[in-house]
Amino acid sequence: MRQSVIFLLITGALTCAGTVLFGQSKSTPVSFPTYNQIKPAGGEIMDYVPSPGSGKIEYIKQKMVFNLFDYPAGTVTYIINGKPATNEKAAKEVVSKKGNYVTKVAINEPTEDGMITIYIDFTTDK
């Protein structure tokens, strides 16, 4: 008799534990995340490139560092704001003067004799 009572108590306890652990009244399906769950933070930068023909012209402004004055002497002609200069030191002095900001740089391919033409346009701070 005592063993049957213990058996019933153990069986009842296991049955209750089984329904508590495994018995869910409703299954919850895994849903696809909503936009609000995956949207970027408010301060995050969003890049936008308009489709061709949209009428807007946008460009990316980049800061590039390169040395225009490392070419061997006598192989470069500098065109600074439309004025030619062959002296590398003088060209460097004009461009690097305080208040001058380079707006455009173009480097032509070397000619047959190895000469390179570098066009530099700059504006002055007023």
Side-chain angles (χ1 to χ4, degrees):
M1 175 81 174
R2 186 174 176 183
Q3 290 178 344
S4 62
V5 172
I6 293 174
F7 175 76
L8 288 175
L9 287 175
I10 291 174
T11 307
L14 289 175
T15 305
C16 290
T19 54
V20 170
L21 294 175
F22 301 107
Q24 295 179 359
S25 62
K26 192 176 190 183
S27 65
T28 56
V30 177
S31 63
F32 193 76
T34 63
Y35 174 74
N36 288 332
Q37 292 171 330
I38 61 173
K39 73 179 182 179
E44 188 172 331
I45 297 172
M46 301 288 287
D47 290 336
Y48 170 72
V49 178
S51 61
S54 66
K56 291 183 179 181
I57 298 174
E58 295 185 21
Y59 61 92
I60 298 172
K61 191 174 186 178
Q62 293 182 2
K63 184 176 183 178
M64 296 179 65
V65 178
F66 54 94
N67 196 346
L68 299 173
F69 306 105
D70 274 349
Y71 294 99
T75 61
V76 180
T77 301
Y78 296 98
I79 309 293
I80 302 173
N81 280 352
K83 299 176 185 172
T86 54
N87 186 354
E88 173 251 330
K89 185 175 180 182
K92 186 175 183 178
E93 205 173 281
V94 169
V95 172
S96 60
K97 187 187 293 184
K98 185 175 181 178
N100 290 349
Y101 299 99
V102 174
T103 56
K104 182 178 165 185
V105 174
I107 303 172
N108 282 1
E109 291 185 23
T111 59
E112 290 82 26
D113 58 347
M115 289 296 292
I116 299 171
T117 306
I118 298 177
Y119 295 90
I120 302 173
D121 292 337
F122 65 90
T123 60
T124 56
D125 191 19
K126 292 185 179 187

